[in-house]
Amino acid sequence: LSRRVAEQLELYYNRSFAELGVDLAIGEDRSLYILEVNHKPGKPFMRTERDLELYLKSIRVPFQYAAYLAHTQAAVIPAAPPWSRDTSGCSRAELIEQIIQDGMAFYRTPYRFGAVPWSIDAFDCSSFMQFIFARSGLLLPRTSRQQSLLGYDVARKNLQRGDLLFFSVHSRTHKKGLERIGHVGIYLGGGRFLHSCKAGGVVVTELSDPYWNRLYIKGRRVIEEDGCS
C-alpha cells in the first residue's frame, strides 16, 4: 500500500523521484494515517523542520490525495485543503453541479501552459479540472493523460453532465495510446463542454466545433454513480 500511494504521489506532482516512500500507520479502528512522505532515505519531502505550522500546511494536499487513493484498501482520515467543501452528504447530481458552478465562476480566466497547481490566476486544461474537482473534495492527478486513467470510458452518445472529455492536440496526433491525449474538459450536456484553452482561457465550447470534434478521443466517467467520495 505504501508503494502504491508513493507511485500515485509521483503522478500527482508530475515529478520523478529516485526513491519515494510513505510512512503509514493503521489505528485501532483500522483508519489509515499518513505520517510522512520521503523522497530520499532519511530526507523528508515537503517538510520544514523549523516551522511546524508551515509543514502541516505543506502536506495538507498530499495527505488528502494519498488517503483518497488508498481508500479502496483501508478506511482513511483525509486532511482536506482549507478551500474544499464537505460533500459527504450530497448526491452525485449535487456534486456535479457544484463542480460545474465552480468552473463557470472562472469564465474567461486566462490560459497558461504548465500553470501552478491550485493557482486561480491562470489555468491550463488539466490544472483547471484538478482545481474545480478538488474544490468539492475530489482530487485528480495533475495532467490530462493521468486524469484519463480515472473512471471508465463512456460512449459519445451516452455522455452525461460531469463526464470528463479528452482530446488530442496537433503535436500529439501522430502518437499512440495514452500519449495522444493532450487536452481535457468537463461535459456540460447539450453538446457543450467547459475547459481552459489557449483561445480565450476558460470557455464553453460546442463539442461539434470542427476543431475539437476532429481532436476528440473519448469521455470518462470519474464520479461514481452512488454519490460523493
Side-chain angles (χ1 to χ4, degrees):
L1 178 60
S2 178
R3 179 177 177 181
R4 176 172 179 262
V5 172
E7 289 172 347
Q8 293 296 329
L9 280 169
E10 283 194 353
L11 290 178
Y12 177 66
Y13 281 102
N14 195 26
R15 294 177 61 185
S16 296
F17 299 95
E19 183 171 342
L20 187 63
V22 181
D23 295 333
L24 303 173
I26 304 296
E28 292 183 0
D29 60 353
R30 300 191 61 78
S31 296
L32 175 70
Y33 294 83
I34 299 168
L35 304 178
E36 188 173 277
V37 181
N38 301 282
H39 72 283
K40 289 182 180 178
K43 184 177 180 182
F45 171 58
M46 291 187 72
R47 181 169 182 175
T48 304
E49 296 284 356
R50 298 179 182 177
D51 188 340
L52 180 60
E53 181 60 27
L54 180 60
Y55 170 53
L56 293 175
K57 288 180 180 178
S58 73
I59 61 176
R60 217 169 255 153
V61 170
F63 260 51
Q64 186 190 19
Y65 187 62
Y68 166 75
L69 291 163
H71 184 69
T72 58
Q73 298 190 37
V76 297
I77 300 179
W83 35 259
S84 289
R85 298 187 186 91
D86 178 7
T87 57
S88 57
C90 71
S91 67
R92 179 177 183 271
E94 289 170 336
L95 179 60
I96 290 170
E97 290 310 308
Q98 286 180 354
I99 291 169
I100 290 175
Q101 287 176 21
D102 283 335
M104 292 300 296
F106 289 94
Y107 189 74
R108 290 297 184 185
T109 297
Y111 175 90
R112 181 182 300 142
F113 180 75
V116 176
W118 319 126
S119 169
I120 61 174
D121 297 326
F123 299 103
D124 63 19
C125 64
S126 52
S127 76
F128 182 50
M129 293 299 106
Q130 188 184 49
F131 178 82
I132 64 175
F133 272 73
R135 182 74 175 85
S136 290
L138 301 179
L139 294 184
L140 307 183
R142 176 61 185 83
T143 73
S144 57
R145 286 173 291 286
Q146 294 159 2
Q147 291 172 9
S148 74
L149 298 174
L150 302 178
Y152 57 90
D153 283 348
V154 179
R156 187 162 176 170
K157 65 180 181 180
N158 295 327
L159 289 172
Q160 295 179 8
R161 189 169 171 88
D163 290 342
L164 290 183
L165 306 182
F166 295 92
F167 304 81
S168 190
V169 291
H170 288 307
S171 62
R172 290 183 171 273
T173 53
H174 67 287
K175 297 181 181 292
K176 296 182 179 180
L178 186 66
E179 292 304 309
R180 289 185 62 217
I181 294 174
H183 191 74
V184 60
I186 186 169
Y187 190 60
L188 301 178
R192 302 182 306 151
F193 66 101
L194 177 69
H195 61 144
S196 178
C197 64
K198 293 180 181 178
V202 175
V203 293
V204 174
T205 301
E206 296 288 337
L207 188 52
S208 61
D209 176 275
Y211 178 85
W212 293 107
N213 183 56
R214 184 172 65 255
L215 295 173
Y216 179 79
I217 295 177
K218 64 180 179 179
R220 297 281 287 184
R221 188 153 300 155
V222 299
I223 302 176
E224 295 295 332
E225 299 287 348
D226 59 355
C228 305
S229 297

